C-alpha cells in the first residue's frame, strides 16, 4: 500500500491509500476531494525540507586545500 498526499484544484489537501502506483494511475481520474467534491485530483508536491538544524556549508576556500582554510594557502594573495 502506498499513501499519497493529494490536492484538489481548490487547494484542499488530503491523503489516500493506493495499492500501487498503477492503482493511483487507474483511479486518479475518478478521485474527488472529500472537502469540496471536485475532481482534478493530483498528487501534492512534497515540499523539500528547508532550513532546520542542518549545518551550514563550510565556506569555500580559494584552492580547497586544508592549509588554505588555515590561512596558509600558497595560492591566496
Ligand atoms: Zn477540494
Amino acid at each position: 500500500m502506498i499513501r499519497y498526499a493529494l490536492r484538489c484544484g481548490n487547494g484542499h489537501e488530503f491523503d489516500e491509500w493506493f495499492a500501487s502506483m498503477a492503482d493511483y494511475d487507474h483511479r486518479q481520474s475518478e478521485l474527488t476531494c472529500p472537502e469540496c467534491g471536485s475532481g482534478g485530483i493530483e498528487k501534492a508536491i512534497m515540499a523539500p525540507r528547508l532550513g532546520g538544524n542542518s549545518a551550514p556549508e563550510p565556506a569555500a576556500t580559494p584552492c580547497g586545500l586544508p592549509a588554505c582554510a588555515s590561512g596558509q594557502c600558497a595560492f591566496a594573495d
Side-chain angles (χ1 to χ4, degrees):
M1 295 289 282
I2 305 172
R3 189 175 71 171
Y4 284 129
L6 305 175
R7 174 155 43 200
C8 82
N10 293 320
H12 302 129
E13 297 189 6
F14 58 100
D15 293 340
E16 183 78 29
W17 285 95
F18 298 93
S20 63
M21 289 177 65
D23 184 39
Y24 167 81
D25 289 338
H26 182 70
R27 293 168 53 194
Q28 191 265 339
S29 62
E30 39 188 76
L31 291 169
T32 56
C33 173
E35 285 200 47
C36 67
S38 71
I41 306 299
E42 294 183 343
K43 273 186 276 192
I45 305 299
M46 295 289 190
R49 285 189 57 182
L50 298 175
N53 299 324
S54 61
E57 290 285 319
T61 54
C63 67
L65 295 174
C68 183
S70 63
Q72 301 168 26
C73 180
F75 299 96
D77 55 14

